[in-house]
Amino acid sequence: MSLEYAILVSLRERAGSGYELARRFDKSIGYFWAASHQQIYRSLKRMVELGWVDRDEVAQQKRPDKKVYRVSDSGAEELARWIAEPASTRNDLTVKLRGASFGDVGRVREEIARHRDQHAARIAIYREIERRDFPGTAKLSGQALHQHLVLSGGIRTEQALLEWCEETIRALDDDQDRGT
């Protein structure tokens, strides 16, 4: 997925400045699609050039004018087109594990342990977001339902990945103990 589509989704939810968008990424969509502030600003510039996003200048007192971005009609059409496409998945860690015997197995194990710790931390964050933002999940609809479904999928994905990392570490340790 390219960053532009994550930005389009965020801007469809609410228009905002590049700074506001970067802060939203840090607090929500960034858990699923990480991007630096510089990447977001570069993408916004490109999206304005493509006509996917419109930019309005908002005057501010004692500060430079703020640029507020919103999705244009062509951006909404592009987002709808992209949403209709089949999704793809990619996982570099599994390729590294498959090729571990051609490199340093210990380093691959360390990387898997690092991922395990990240998955455990994300589960805690996601559970806190769920508790704070979605206390009554049975009554959700529309955008709130969609957001909660993403969060729920994130929790389940992180739990499965955490369990896989733990299983993989045990198997690599057992293999090391056997001396192979």
Side-chain angles (χ1 to χ4, degrees):
M1 174 178 73
S2 77
L3 175 58
E4 283 80 5
Y5 296 106
I7 291 172
L8 285 172
V9 168
S10 187
L11 289 175
R12 283 300 305 257
E13 291 175 348
R14 187 173 67 240
S17 68
Y19 175 78
E20 292 163 345
L21 185 61
R23 300 259 310 152
R24 275 190 263 159
F25 259 71
D26 291 343
K27 293 179 181 178
S28 63
I29 205 164
Y31 291 114
F32 302 99
W33 185 259
S36 71
H37 291 211
Q38 290 114 340
Q39 289 172 310
I40 291 170
Y41 282 105
R42 278 194 305 271
S43 292
L44 284 168
K45 182 179 185 232
R46 190 168 43 251
M47 294 167 72
V48 168
E49 292 168 357
L50 289 168
W52 294 358
V53 171
D54 293 324
R55 181 179 62 208
D56 298 318
E57 301 278 335
V58 176
Q60 301 186 104
Q61 293 201 330
K62 299 182 182 180
R63 289 167 51 189
D65 291 350
K66 179 165 71 168
K67 296 173 181 152
V68 177
Y69 299 89
R70 59 185 161 69
V71 177
S72 67
D73 290 342
S74 65
E77 289 171 12
E78 176 59 22
L79 179 59
R81 183 202 62 73
W82 176 79
I83 288 171
E85 284 184 354
S88 65
T89 58
R90 190 178 91 173
N91 187 334
D92 295 343
L93 186 59
T94 56
V95 176
K96 288 182 180 198
L97 177 58
R98 180 157 179 158
S101 59
F102 304 116
D104 185 341
V105 175
R107 293 289 300 258
V108 173
R109 186 208 181 277
E110 289 171 11
E111 183 65 8
I112 292 168
R114 188 178 71 77
H115 278 258
R116 176 203 54 207
D117 296 344
Q118 288 177 338
H119 296 306
R122 278 194 207 119
I123 290 168
I125 291 167
Y126 293 172
R127 292 275 187 214
E128 175 57 26
I129 292 169
E130 184 176 46
R131 184 198 61 71
R132 182 191 68 216
D133 295 347
F134 302 101
T137 58
K139 297 180 182 181
L140 295 176
S141 66
Q143 185 176 346
L145 173 64
H146 303 155
Q147 290 171 342
H148 182 260
L149 290 171
V150 169
L151 182 61
S152 177
I155 291 168
R156 290 177 181 182
T157 298
E158 293 299 329
Q159 186 63 47
L161 289 169
L162 172 67
E163 292 169 8
W164 176 79
C165 287
E166 290 172 343
E167 174 187 343
T168 301
I169 290 167
R170 280 191 305 274
L172 290 173
D173 289 347
D174 290 347
D175 188 48
Q176 181 68 30
D177 290 344
R178 286 190 299 273
T180 52

